[in-house]
Coordinates of all heavy atoms in Angstrom, one line a residue:
P123 N -43.4 70.6 -27.9 CA -43.5 72.1 -27.9 C -44.4 72.5 -29.0 O -44.9 73.7 -29.0 CB -42.1 72.6 -28.1 CG -41.2 71.4 -27.5 CD -41.9 70.2 -27.9
L124 N -44.6 71.8 -30.0 CA -45.5 72.2 -31.2 C -47.0 71.9 -30.9 O -47.8 72.4 -31.6 CB -45.1 71.5 -32.5 CG -43.7 71.7 -32.9 CD1 -43.4 71.0 -34.2 CD2 -43.2 73.1 -33.0
L125 N -47.3 71.1 -29.9 CA -48.6 70.6 -29.6 C -49.4 71.6 -28.7 O -48.9 71.8 -27.6 CB -48.6 69.2 -29.2 CG -47.8 68.3 -30.0 CD1 -47.9 66.8 -29.5 CD2 -48.4 68.2 -31.5
Q126 N -50.5 72.1 -29.2 CA -51.2 73.1 -28.4 C -51.7 72.5 -27.1 O -52.3 71.4 -27.0 CB -52.4 73.6 -29.4 CG -53.1 74.8 -28.7 CD -54.0 75.5 -29.7 OE1 -54.8 74.7 -30.3 NE2 -54.1 76.7 -29.9
R127 N -51.4 73.3 -26.1 CA -52.0 72.9 -24.7 C -51.5 71.5 -24.3 O -52.1 70.8 -23.5 CB -53.4 73.1 -24.6 CG -53.9 74.5 -24.9 CD -55.4 74.6 -25.0 NE -55.8 75.8 -25.2 CZ -55.9 76.5 -26.4 NH1 -55.5 75.6 -27.4 NH2 -56.2 77.7 -26.6
S128 N -50.4 71.1 -24.9 CA -49.8 69.7 -24.4 C -49.2 69.9 -23.0 O -48.6 70.8 -22.6 CB -48.7 69.4 -25.4 OG -48.0 68.3 -24.8
A129 N -49.4 68.8 -22.3 CA -48.9 68.8 -20.8 C -47.4 68.8 -20.8 O -46.9 69.3 -19.9 CB -49.4 67.6 -20.1
A130 N -46.9 68.3 -21.9 CA -45.4 68.3 -21.9 C -44.8 69.3 -22.8 O -43.7 69.3 -23.1 CB -45.0 66.9 -22.5
R131 N -45.6 70.4 -23.1 CA -45.1 71.5 -23.9 C -43.8 72.1 -23.4 O -43.8 72.3 -22.2 CB -46.2 72.5 -24.2 CG -46.0 73.4 -25.3 CD -47.1 74.3 -25.6 NE -46.8 75.2 -26.7 CZ -47.7 76.1 -27.1 NH1 -48.8 76.3 -26.6 NH2 -47.3 76.9 -28.2
H132 N -42.9 72.3 -24.3 CA -41.6 72.9 -23.9 C -40.9 72.1 -22.9 O -40.4 72.4 -21.9 CB -41.7 74.4 -23.4 CG -42.3 75.2 -24.5 ND1 -41.8 75.5 -25.6 CD2 -43.6 75.8 -24.5 CE1 -42.6 76.3 -26.4 NE2 -43.7 76.5 -25.6
S133 N -40.9 70.7 -23.1 CA -40.2 69.7 -22.2 C -38.8 70.1 -22.1 O -38.1 70.5 -22.9 CB -40.4 68.3 -22.8 OG -39.4 67.5 -22.2
D134 N -38.3 70.0 -20.8 CA -36.9 70.3 -20.5 C -35.9 69.4 -21.2 O -34.8 69.7 -21.5 CB -36.7 70.3 -19.0 CG -37.4 71.4 -18.3 OD1 -37.7 72.4 -18.9 OD2 -37.6 71.2 -17.1
A135 N -36.5 68.3 -21.7 CA -35.6 67.3 -22.3 C -35.4 67.5 -23.9 O -34.6 67.0 -24.4 CB -36.1 65.9 -22.2
A136 N -36.1 68.5 -24.3 CA -36.2 68.7 -25.8 C -35.0 69.7 -26.1 O -34.6 70.6 -25.3 CB -37.5 69.4 -26.3
D137 N -34.5 69.6 -27.4 CA -33.6 70.7 -27.8 C -34.1 71.0 -29.2 O -34.7 70.2 -29.9 CB -32.1 70.1 -27.9 CG -31.9 69.2 -29.0 OD1 -31.6 69.8 -30.2 OD2 -31.9 68.0 -28.9
R138 N -33.9 72.3 -29.6 CA -34.6 72.7 -30.8 C -34.2 72.1 -32.0 O -34.9 72.0 -33.0 CB -34.4 74.3 -30.8 CG -33.0 74.8 -31.2 CD -33.0 76.3 -30.8 NE -32.3 77.2 -31.7 CZ -31.1 77.7 -31.2 NH1 -30.7 77.5 -30.0 NH2 -30.5 78.5 -32.0
F139 N -32.9 71.6 -32.1 CA -32.4 71.0 -33.4 C -33.0 69.6 -33.4 O -33.2 69.0 -34.6 CB -30.9 71.1 -33.5 CG -30.5 72.6 -33.6 CD1 -29.9 73.1 -32.4 CD2 -30.6 73.3 -34.7 CE1 -29.5 74.5 -32.5 CE2 -30.2 74.6 -34.7 CZ -29.6 75.2 -33.7
G140 N -33.0 68.9 -32.3 CA -33.7 67.6 -32.4 C -35.1 67.7 -32.7 O -35.7 67.0 -33.4
L141 N -35.8 68.8 -32.1 CA -37.1 69.1 -32.5 C -37.3 69.3 -34.1 O -38.3 68.9 -34.7 CB -37.7 70.4 -31.7 CG -39.2 70.8 -31.9 CD1 -39.6 71.4 -30.7 CD2 -39.3 71.7 -33.1

Side-chain angles (χ1 to χ4, degrees):
L124 305 185
L125 305 180
Q126 194 171 41
R127 299 172 180 85
S128 166
R131 194 170 180 184
H132 302 294
S133 165
D134 292 338
D137 78 83
R138 71 193 210 254
F139 298 102
L141 182 149

